[in-house]
Amino acid sequence: MFISLSLNRLSMATIKISYELDPPTQIVKEAQGLSVSKSLTHALEANASEVGLDAYYGALRVAIAKARDQLGNELTAWRDAVGKAESSKETPKTLKYDAEDAEEEEE
């Protein structure tokens, strides 16, 4: 994963996040609408020289929060897709064994 903050006096600052995932091939086939690599860009709504530092840093916090939320939602979708695929691999015997281990740990 690559995260950058681009500052340019002539243009608006932007936050760019790029990621490339390497999930198992079967999961990629089943994960409809999910991309294994993506770049997200969020522009700051303020320029430090025009609005002052307080407003600029406020806009920076908002842009970072938006970027974090969007990235979190996309990675959560991948986590769910991988989790569903992995849970289907477990056999009833494995699940029974895991349940017995959990009971022993509670005691």
Side-chain angles (χ1 to χ4, degrees):
M1 186 176 315
F2 177 75
I3 300 172
S4 69
L5 174 62
S6 205
L7 301 173
N8 185 339
R9 290 181 176 221
L10 301 176
S11 65
M12 299 286 254
T14 58
I15 297 173
K16 182 176 180 181
I17 301 172
S18 300
Y19 66 84
E20 188 168 335
L21 305 174
D22 189 22
T25 308
Q26 183 62 30
I27 293 172
V28 174
K29 292 177 186 175
E30 295 172 2
Q32 298 174 353
L34 297 177
S35 177
V36 294
S37 63
K38 194 166 189 179
S39 290
L40 311 171
T41 303
H42 293 274
L44 271 67
E45 300 295 326
N47 189 330
S49 61
E50 295 173 2
V51 297
L53 288 178
D54 288 341
Y56 177 76
Y57 285 119
L60 180 60
R61 280 191 290 277
V62 168
I64 290 171
K66 286 180 182 178
R68 183 184 62 220
D69 289 345
Q70 184 179 3
L71 179 64
N73 290 338
E74 292 183 14
L75 294 180
T76 297
W78 272 110
R79 182 203 62 200
D80 294 345
V82 171
K84 288 177 187 174
E86 291 295 317
S87 67
S88 66
K89 290 181 179 179
E90 294 181 356
T91 63
K93 186 176 181 179
T94 305
L95 294 174
K96 181 181 175 187
Y97 180 76
D98 290 342
E100 290 173 359
D101 284 348
E103 288 175 7
E104 288 177 8
E105 289 177 5
E106 290 176 0
E107 295 174 358

